[in-house]
Amino acid sequence: MTAQADTPRAPAETPTPSTSVAPRLPLTERLIRTPVLLPLLTFVLILALWEGGTRLFAVPSFVLPAPSRILGGFEVVSFERWMEHVWATLRVSLLGFLVSIAVSLPIAIGLAKSRFLSRSLYPLLVVIQSVPVVAVAPIIIVVLGTDDAPRIVITFMISFFPLVVSMTTGLMATPPELIELSRSLRAPVRREITQIRLPYATPYIFSGLKISITLSVIGAVVAEFVAADVGIGYFIQFSTSMFRLPQAWAGLVVLLVMSLLLFQAVSQTQKYFFPWSLPKESR
């Protein structure tokens, strides 16, 4: 028997199960990584402070109603009447928004393609945008009547300018070497716009759409302040004239929810149909 055989061997090491546990993230980091939880907690905290402050200092409801009183303002009006007001405002907002898109896109293409149009038309657009719509609204109502048409025009005037500026900026942001390449290949103008300029302008276009959709709600409410017998703007104006502040605040809450839903509709449209136009962390 050899010496090597007499030497006792060390027992083979058996793998032990790993006991390492992923480090637990701090509470603030977990809240930041949860996209909905932090804004929801902040909103609940603001409501709690609002409710507690109005009760503690006995603030009259005609000055600042508590959230609980605003919640009671929803119950004063029937659900069918609420839906009638919401649909009137939503209809005018969407129609004004769609008209803004239909008018902005060809104007933006013209401004991006033609230096003559850019020099002649752009200052005129700035002048039109500088006119306060609230002052012009009564004139538009007198000229066009009191149906949906003047309210759509007022909504269009408020939501049009940010959209055309964003579209023009995006169309002009196309790399010039791609434009030169398309021209060297004798590509028609239609293909240059649809296959080169518009894809590059998509992030800018959606930025303008997100601003414009919220402004369209404001435009519809401004128009309803001037002349309307239905709509959230009319409801708020009527409630304040009767010193029913909780109802007016309830109408304001409905407007906020409507604006947020429309904004999310535009955001989800971009995320679903044009995900490449978003930053990687937002897809």
Side-chain angles (χ1 to χ4, degrees):
M1 183 177 294
T2 63
Q4 185 177 5
D6 295 337
T7 304
R9 294 183 177 180
E13 293 184 358
T14 55
T16 56
S18 176
T19 57
S20 62
V21 179
R24 188 177 180 83
L25 294 174
L27 178 61
T28 54
E29 185 67 23
R30 280 181 285 161
L31 289 175
I32 291 173
R33 294 191 178 192
T34 307
V36 179
L37 187 58
L38 187 57
L40 184 62
L41 289 176
T42 306
F43 181 67
V44 172
L45 177 62
I46 292 174
L47 288 182
L49 292 175
W50 185 352
E51 181 78 27
T54 51
R55 289 177 180 272
L56 180 63
F57 298 103
V59 180
S61 62
F62 61 86
V63 176
L64 181 63
S68 58
R69 296 292 302 274
I70 295 174
L71 192 62
F74 285 98
E75 301 173 355
V76 177
V77 183
S78 65
F79 179 77
E80 291 77 12
R81 186 62 176 163
W82 272 118
M83 288 298 101
E84 188 179 1
H85 289 306
V86 168
W87 171 241
T89 304
L90 184 63
R91 183 180 68 245
V92 173
S93 302
L94 292 178
L95 289 175
F97 178 65
L98 293 176
V99 173
S100 299
I101 297 174
V103 175
S104 298
L105 186 58
I107 290 179
I109 292 174
L111 293 176
K113 287 289 294 179
S114 171
R115 182 176 295 181
F116 175 77
L117 283 178
S118 177
R119 295 286 178 84
S120 60
L121 193 59
Y122 199 83
L124 184 61
L125 294 176
V126 175
V127 171
I128 293 175
Q129 178 63 23
S130 302
V131 176
V133 179
V134 178
V136 180
I139 302 175
I140 297 175
I141 296 293
V142 171
V143 173
L144 297 180
T146 57
D147 54 0
D148 280 352
R151 291 192 280 274
I152 293 171
V153 171
I154 294 170
T155 304
F156 160 76
M157 291 181 66
I158 290 181
S159 59
F160 160 75
F161 190 74
L163 194 53
V164 74
V165 170
S166 300
M167 286 183 176
T168 306
T169 304
L171 291 170
M172 295 181 70
T174 308
E177 55 269 21
L178 289 180
I179 302 298
E180 292 297 328
L181 178 62
S182 69
R183 290 174 181 172
S184 65
L185 296 174
R186 298 182 183 279
V189 176
R190 177 178 55 81
R191 294 188 64 182
E192 175 190 323
I193 293 173
T194 58
Q195 297 184 7
I196 299 178
R197 287 187 181 271
L198 281 178
Y200 268 93
T202 302
Y204 297 87
I205 292 174
F206 272 96
S207 296
L209 290 174
K210 290 172 185 174
I211 298 172
S212 182
I213 191 65
T214 54
L215 290 178
S216 65
V217 176
I218 297 173
V221 172
V222 168
E224 289 167 357
F225 281 164
V226 179
D229 55 0
V230 68
I232 300 298
Y234 164 79
F235 175 79
I236 293 175
Q237 188 181 38
F238 177 78
S239 300
T240 51
S241 66
M242 303 297 289
F243 294 96
R244 298 171 181 169
L245 267 296
Q247 292 183 35
W249 277 89
L252 186 62
V253 171
V254 172
L255 279 181
L256 291 175
V257 173
M258 186 187 300
S259 296
L260 289 175
L261 291 178
L262 291 175
F263 182 88
Q264 283 298 321
V266 176
S267 299
Q268 293 302 317
T269 300
Q270 182 183 13
K271 192 172 184 178
Y272 186 78
F273 292 103
F274 306 94
W276 48 266
S277 65
L278 289 167
K280 287 184 178 178
E281 60 271 14
S282 302
R283 294 176 188 171

Short mmCIF file of all heavy atoms in Angstrom, two decimals, residues 229-259:
data_model
loop_
_atom_site.label_atom_id
_atom_site.label_comp_id
_atom_site.label_asym_id
_atom_site.label_seq_id
_atom_site.Cartn_x
_atom_site.Cartn_y
_atom_site.Cartn_z
N ASP A 229 -76.43 76.66 -22.91
CA ASP A 229 -77.44 76.27 -21.93
C ASP A 229 -77.21 74.85 -21.43
O ASP A 229 -78.05 74.29 -20.73
CB ASP A 229 -78.84 76.40 -22.52
CG ASP A 229 -78.99 75.61 -23.81
OD1 ASP A 229 -78.00 74.97 -24.23
OD2 ASP A 229 -80.07 75.66 -24.41
N VAL A 230 -76.05 74.29 -21.80
CA VAL A 230 -75.68 72.96 -21.32
C VAL A 230 -74.16 72.84 -21.45
O VAL A 230 -73.55 73.51 -22.29
CB VAL A 230 -76.40 71.87 -22.14
CG1 VAL A 230 -75.91 71.83 -23.58
CG2 VAL A 230 -76.25 70.50 -21.49
N GLY A 231 -73.58 72.02 -20.60
CA GLY A 231 -72.12 71.87 -20.61
C GLY A 231 -71.56 72.13 -19.21
O GLY A 231 -72.21 72.79 -18.38
N ILE A 232 -70.36 71.63 -18.95
CA ILE A 232 -69.76 71.80 -17.63
C ILE A 232 -69.46 73.27 -17.35
O ILE A 232 -69.61 73.74 -16.22
CB ILE A 232 -68.48 70.95 -17.53
CG1 ILE A 232 -68.81 69.46 -17.73
CG2 ILE A 232 -67.84 71.13 -16.16
CD1 ILE A 232 -69.75 68.90 -16.70
N GLY A 233 -69.01 74.02 -18.36
CA GLY A 233 -68.76 75.45 -18.17
C GLY A 233 -70.02 76.19 -17.79
O GLY A 233 -70.02 77.04 -16.87
N TYR A 234 -71.11 75.89 -18.47
CA TYR A 234 -72.40 76.50 -18.13
C TYR A 234 -72.82 76.10 -16.71
O TYR A 234 -73.31 76.93 -15.93
CB TYR A 234 -73.45 76.06 -19.14
CG TYR A 234 -74.87 76.30 -18.68
CD1 TYR A 234 -75.43 77.57 -18.75
CD2 TYR A 234 -75.64 75.25 -18.17
CE1 TYR A 234 -76.72 77.79 -18.31
CE2 TYR A 234 -76.92 75.46 -17.73
CZ TYR A 234 -77.46 76.73 -17.81
OH TYR A 234 -78.74 76.95 -17.37
N PHE A 235 -72.59 74.82 -16.34
CA PHE A 235 -72.98 74.34 -15.02
C PHE A 235 -72.20 75.08 -13.93
O PHE A 235 -72.77 75.46 -12.90
CB PHE A 235 -72.73 72.83 -14.94
CG PHE A 235 -72.98 72.24 -13.60
CD1 PHE A 235 -74.28 71.97 -13.18
CD2 PHE A 235 -71.93 71.95 -12.74
CE1 PHE A 235 -74.51 71.44 -11.93
CE2 PHE A 235 -72.15 71.41 -11.50
CZ PHE A 235 -73.45 71.15 -11.08
N ILE A 236 -70.89 75.28 -14.15
CA ILE A 236 -70.07 75.99 -13.15
C ILE A 236 -70.53 77.44 -13.03
O ILE A 236 -70.66 77.98 -11.91
CB ILE A 236 -68.59 75.91 -13.54
CG1 ILE A 236 -68.09 74.47 -13.42
CG2 ILE A 236 -67.74 76.84 -12.67
CD1 ILE A 236 -66.67 74.26 -13.89
N GLN A 237 -70.78 78.08 -14.16
CA GLN A 237 -71.22 79.47 -14.12
C GLN A 237 -72.58 79.61 -13.43
O GLN A 237 -72.79 80.51 -12.61
CB GLN A 237 -71.29 80.04 -15.54
CG GLN A 237 -71.54 81.54 -15.59
CD GLN A 237 -71.63 82.03 -17.02
OE1 GLN A 237 -72.18 81.35 -17.88
NE2 GLN A 237 -71.10 83.21 -17.27
N PHE A 238 -73.49 78.70 -13.73
CA PHE A 238 -74.81 78.75 -13.11
C PHE A 238 -74.71 78.49 -11.60
O PHE A 238 -75.37 79.17 -10.80
CB PHE A 238 -75.72 77.70 -13.77
CG PHE A 238 -77.09 77.62 -13.16
CD1 PHE A 238 -78.05 78.57 -13.46
CD2 PHE A 238 -77.40 76.59 -12.27
CE1 PHE A 238 -79.31 78.50 -12.88
CE2 PHE A 238 -78.66 76.52 -11.69
CZ PHE A 238 -79.62 77.48 -11.99
N SER A 239 -73.89 77.55 -11.19
CA SER A 239 -73.75 77.21 -9.78
C SER A 239 -73.15 78.38 -8.99
O SER A 239 -73.59 78.67 -7.88
CB SER A 239 -72.89 75.96 -9.61
OG SER A 239 -73.47 74.86 -10.27
N THR A 240 -72.12 79.03 -9.56
CA THR A 240 -71.52 80.16 -8.85
C THR A 240 -72.47 81.34 -8.77
O THR A 240 -72.47 82.09 -7.78
CB THR A 240 -70.22 80.59 -9.55
OG1 THR A 240 -70.48 80.78 -10.95
CG2 THR A 240 -69.13 79.56 -9.38
N SER A 241 -73.30 81.55 -9.82
CA SER A 241 -74.26 82.65 -9.77
C SER A 241 -75.31 82.42 -8.68
O SER A 241 -75.89 83.37 -8.15
CB SER A 241 -74.95 82.82 -11.13
OG SER A 241 -75.74 81.68 -11.43
N MET A 242 -75.57 81.15 -8.33
CA MET A 242 -76.53 80.81 -7.27
C MET A 242 -75.83 80.55 -5.93
O MET A 242 -76.46 80.06 -5.00
CB MET A 242 -77.33 79.57 -7.68
CG MET A 242 -78.08 79.69 -8.99
SD MET A 242 -79.35 80.98 -8.97
CE MET A 242 -80.54 80.23 -7.90
N PHE A 243 -74.51 80.85 -5.85
CA PHE A 243 -73.71 80.64 -4.64
C PHE A 243 -73.72 79.18 -4.19
O PHE A 243 -73.64 78.89 -3.00
CB PHE A 243 -74.16 81.55 -3.50
CG PHE A 243 -73.92 83.00 -3.78
CD1 PHE A 243 -74.92 83.79 -4.30
CD2 PHE A 243 -72.67 83.57 -3.55
CE1 PHE A 243 -74.70 85.13 -4.57
CE2 PHE A 243 -72.44 84.90 -3.84
CZ PHE A 243 -73.45 85.69 -4.35
N ARG A 244 -73.79 78.27 -5.15
CA ARG A 244 -73.70 76.84 -4.84
C ARG A 244 -72.27 76.39 -5.13
O ARG A 244 -71.97 75.71 -6.12
CB ARG A 244 -74.69 76.04 -5.68
CG ARG A 244 -76.14 76.43 -5.41
CD ARG A 244 -77.07 75.78 -6.43
NE ARG A 244 -78.46 76.16 -6.20
CZ ARG A 244 -79.45 75.90 -7.06
NH1 ARG A 244 -79.19 75.27 -8.22
NH2 ARG A 244 -80.67 76.27 -6.80
N LEU A 245 -71.36 76.77 -4.23
CA LEU A 245 -69.95 76.51 -4.46
C LEU A 245 -69.59 75.03 -4.48
O LEU A 245 -68.75 74.60 -5.30
CB LEU A 245 -69.11 77.24 -3.40
CG LEU A 245 -68.60 78.64 -3.79
CD1 LEU A 245 -67.64 78.55 -4.97
CD2 LEU A 245 -69.76 79.56 -4.17
N PRO A 246 -70.16 74.18 -3.60
CA PRO A 246 -69.83 72.75 -3.71
C PRO A 246 -70.17 72.16 -5.07
O PRO A 246 -69.40 71.35 -5.61
CB PRO A 246 -70.67 72.12 -2.59
CG PRO A 246 -70.84 73.22 -1.59
CD PRO A 246 -70.97 74.47 -2.39
N GLN A 247 -71.30 72.58 -5.68
CA GLN A 247 -71.63 72.08 -7.01
C GLN A 247 -70.63 72.58 -8.05
O GLN A 247 -70.24 71.86 -8.97
CB GLN A 247 -73.04 72.52 -7.39
CG GLN A 247 -74.13 71.88 -6.55
CD GLN A 247 -75.50 72.32 -7.03
OE1 GLN A 247 -75.72 72.51 -8.21
NE2 GLN A 247 -76.43 72.48 -6.11
N ALA A 248 -70.24 73.88 -7.92
CA ALA A 248 -69.27 74.42 -8.87
C ALA A 248 -67.94 73.67 -8.78
O ALA A 248 -67.32 73.36 -9.81
CB ALA A 248 -69.06 75.91 -8.60
N TRP A 249 -67.49 73.37 -7.55
CA TRP A 249 -66.27 72.59 -7.39
C TRP A 249 -66.44 71.18 -7.95
O TRP A 249 -65.49 70.62 -8.51
CB TRP A 249 -65.88 72.53 -5.92
CG TRP A 249 -65.13 73.74 -5.46
CD1 TRP A 249 -65.66 74.90 -4.96
CD2 TRP A 249 -63.72 73.94 -5.48
NE1 TRP A 249 -64.67 75.79 -4.65
CE2 TRP A 249 -63.47 75.23 -4.96
CE3 TRP A 249 -62.64 73.15 -5.87
CZ2 TRP A 249 -62.18 75.75 -4.84
CZ3 TRP A 249 -61.37 73.66 -5.75
CH2 TRP A 249 -61.15 74.95 -5.23
N ALA A 250 -67.62 70.62 -7.80
CA ALA A 250 -67.86 69.29 -8.38
C ALA A 250 -67.72 69.34 -9.90
O ALA A 250 -67.15 68.42 -10.51
CB ALA A 250 -69.25 68.79 -7.97
N GLY A 251 -68.25 70.40 -10.52
CA GLY A 251 -68.07 70.56 -11.97
C GLY A 251 -66.61 70.70 -12.34
O GLY A 251 -66.16 70.17 -13.37
N LEU A 252 -65.85 71.42 -11.50
CA LEU A 252 -64.42 71.56 -11.76
C LEU A 252 -63.71 70.22 -11.68
O LEU A 252 -62.80 69.93 -12.48
CB LEU A 252 -63.82 72.54 -10.75
CG LEU A 252 -62.35 72.92 -10.94
CD1 LEU A 252 -62.16 73.61 -12.29
CD2 LEU A 252 -61.89 73.83 -9.82
N VAL A 253 -64.10 69.38 -10.73
CA VAL A 253 -63.51 68.04 -10.61
C VAL A 253 -63.81 67.22 -11.88
O VAL A 253 -62.93 66.51 -12.40
CB VAL A 253 -64.05 67.32 -9.36
CG1 VAL A 253 -63.61 65.86 -9.35
CG2 VAL A 253 -63.55 68.02 -8.10
N VAL A 254 -65.03 67.33 -12.38
CA VAL A 254 -65.37 66.61 -13.61
C VAL A 254 -64.49 67.08 -14.77
O VAL A 254 -64.01 66.27 -15.59
CB VAL A 254 -66.86 66.81 -13.94
CG1 VAL A 254 -67.20 66.23 -15.31
CG2 VAL A 254 -67.73 66.17 -12.87
N LEU A 255 -64.25 68.40 -14.86
CA LEU A 255 -63.38 68.91 -15.92
C LEU A 255 -61.96 68.37 -15.80
O LEU A 255 -61.33 68.02 -16.80
CB LEU A 255 -63.35 70.44 -15.86
CG LEU A 255 -64.50 71.18 -16.51
CD1 LEU A 255 -64.30 72.69 -16.38
CD2 LEU A 255 -64.62 70.81 -17.98
N LEU A 256 -61.45 68.31 -14.56
CA LEU A 256 -60.10 67.78 -14.35
C LEU A 256 -60.02 66.32 -14.78
O LEU A 256 -59.05 65.91 -15.45
CB LEU A 256 -59.71 67.93 -12.87
CG LEU A 256 -59.47 69.35 -12.38
CD1 LEU A 256 -59.22 69.35 -10.87
CD2 LEU A 256 -58.29 69.97 -13.10
N VAL A 257 -61.01 65.54 -14.39
CA VAL A 257 -61.01 64.12 -14.78
C VAL A 257 -61.09 63.98 -16.30
O VAL A 257 -60.39 63.16 -16.91
CB VAL A 257 -62.18 63.39 -14.09
CG1 VAL A 257 -62.30 61.97 -14.62
CG2 VAL A 257 -61.98 63.38 -12.58
N MET A 258 -61.92 64.80 -16.94
CA MET A 258 -62.05 64.75 -18.39
C MET A 258 -60.71 65.08 -19.07
O MET A 258 -60.29 64.40 -20.01
CB MET A 258 -63.13 65.73 -18.85
CG MET A 258 -63.45 65.66 -20.33
SD MET A 258 -64.58 66.97 -20.86
CE MET A 258 -65.99 66.61 -19.83
N SER A 259 -60.04 66.13 -18.59
CA SER A 259 -58.75 66.51 -19.18
C SER A 259 -57.71 65.40 -19.00
O SER A 259 -56.96 65.09 -19.93
CB SER A 259 -58.25 67.80 -18.54
OG SER A 259 -59.11 68.87 -18.82
#
